Amino acid sequence: MDVLDTAPWEVRASALATELDTELAAGGVVLDPAWRDAFAATPRHQFVPQILDGGTVLGQGDPGWLDAVYANESLATQTRISDASGRPVPTSSSSKPTVMARMLERLAVQPGHRALEIGTGTGYNAALLAHRLGETAVCSIDLDPALVGAAREHLAEIGLHPQLAAGDGAAGWPAGGPFDRIIATCAVTAIPPAWIDQLAEGGRIVAPLDAGSAGPLLVLDKTAPDEVTGIIDPFPVLFMPMRATVDSPYGPGQEPGAAAVGMPHYGTTALDPAGLLARPELELFLWLHAPGLQLGGGAKHGVVVAERGAARAEADLTPLADGTWAVRQHGPYRLWDTIEHAVTAFNALDRPGASRLGVSALNVVGKQYVWLDDPDSDHCWPLTAVC
């Protein structure tokens, strides 16, 4: 038996924290020594006194709790019951350290910077920011007052007191700006205009793009008083959505929709439905053309199912005699037609991955767009917020 197995848990926590820090560095995720210092000095266990593992609650003192805390994994810390399904849906977590480190590196902070975090959660990320920049330089906001209260206690226990508040993250922190850096620990479908207004000249926003399992990072710099622009970092991230209300576990437009009513539209497609599955680069491209799109089904079910709000399409995986595939479309518009258009564009543009895509956003609703290879490219289209 390893000697650490019988050591006091505080000793084991210190050893496990060192192992995690070493793992992040060895994996090439944390390159900045100052962030290594922050991770090494910030006890993750202080911020996750309990973990929700399926239907099990794992707390301090339980076997496996400490090892789980210092694993390089995301840890669910809060759920809410979905009115639609009656099942608990995660609404807060301690993000995977690899992802946190990547985002903090991309933030490119400098001494003297002031940072705003959207999504306080457990308070762990705010602690890392406060360790690096100083507690007075960090503001953090979360929709849920209970999370903010718990995070404040966790931070105080290790001697940190950044400014925390409960409120709508989409509104930012008007009284605290301008901020040199804004980092979101919840996924967005577009950049809230308030963030652009509150970002200092030359400032940077790092935010996960809510694009399902294909979700990448947006890394956007302020290039004009009313505009941010930058690349889509293909590093895969999966965050909970930025929510509008505390009581709902869903982001805007993500609530399970009512079953489509009315007669479906029957047709055929020359697009092989099987080609839509298990292709992250295509999944992202489709999402950018139809935010909120969900693809499911597969060989087990014999169909590919596409859903977006009240629209639904089902395409059979078995081709017809003429080499086409049967499609049934339900809802207020023909979703499969949108998918076909996007796939045609994807193929015509040489199947671009996330590294060829970028985003420019003005501080006006509806004035945000995705571009290919260059902000002035002829190939651009609107980035539409899910609402």
Side-chain angles (χ1 to χ4, degrees), residues 118 141-143 167-173 192 195 242-243:
I118 309 296
I141 188 168
D142 198 288
L143 182 68
D168 182 2
W173 192 307
W195 297 4
M242 184 167 67
R243 297 179 292 143

Side-chain angles (χ1 to χ4, degrees), residues 112-188:
H113 277 173
R114 299 183 67 252
L116 170 63
E117 178 190 33
I118 309 296
T120 308
T122 66
Y124 181 46
N125 198 61
L128 293 168
L129 287 165
H131 184 276
R132 177 71 188 270
L133 297 175
E135 59 183 25
T136 60
V138 176
C139 295
S140 182
I141 188 168
D142 198 288
L143 182 68
D144 192 332
L147 290 177
V148 172
R152 183 176 285 112
E153 292 178 4
H154 298 154
L155 287 157
E157 287 168 357
I158 61 170
L160 293 175
H161 302 86
Q163 300 177 71
L164 307 183
D168 182 2
W173 192 307
F179 296 98
D180 301 288
R181 298 290 187 265
I182 297 177
I183 182 170
T185 58
C186 51
V188 298

Side-chain angles (χ1 to χ4, degrees), residues 91-246:
T91 50
S92 184
S93 69
S94 180
S95 302
K96 187 174 183 178
T98 293
V99 172
M100 298 174 67
R102 177 72 169 219
M103 293 176 67
L104 291 169
E105 286 273 2
R106 285 291 183 265
L107 206 58
V109 298
Q110 298 295 328
H113 277 173
R114 299 183 67 252
L116 170 63
E117 178 190 33
I118 309 296
T120 308
T122 66
Y124 181 46
N125 198 61
L128 293 168
L129 287 165
H131 184 276
R132 177 71 188 270
L133 297 175
E135 59 183 25
T136 60
V138 176
C139 295
S140 182
I141 188 168
D142 198 288
L143 182 68
D144 192 332
L147 290 177
V148 172
R152 183 176 285 112
E153 292 178 4
H154 298 154
L155 287 157
E157 287 168 357
I158 61 170
L160 293 175
H161 302 86
Q163 300 177 71
L164 307 183
D168 182 2
W173 192 307
F179 296 98
D180 301 288
R181 298 290 187 265
I182 297 177
I183 182 170
T185 58
C186 51
V188 298
T189 55
I191 299 299
W195 297 4
I196 301 173
D197 291 336
Q198 293 166 31
L199 191 64
E201 181 180 355
R204 172 170 288 188
I205 295 172
V206 174
L209 182 65
D210 191 348
S213 60
L217 285 173
L218 299 178
V219 182
L220 309 177
D221 294 322
K222 194 159 191 178
T223 52
D226 60 349
E227 182 180 27
V228 292
T229 192
I231 63 168
I232 292 180
D233 183 333
F235 189 81
V237 296
L238 186 60
F239 278 81
M240 296 165 196
M242 184 167 67
R243 297 179 292 143
T245 63
V246 174

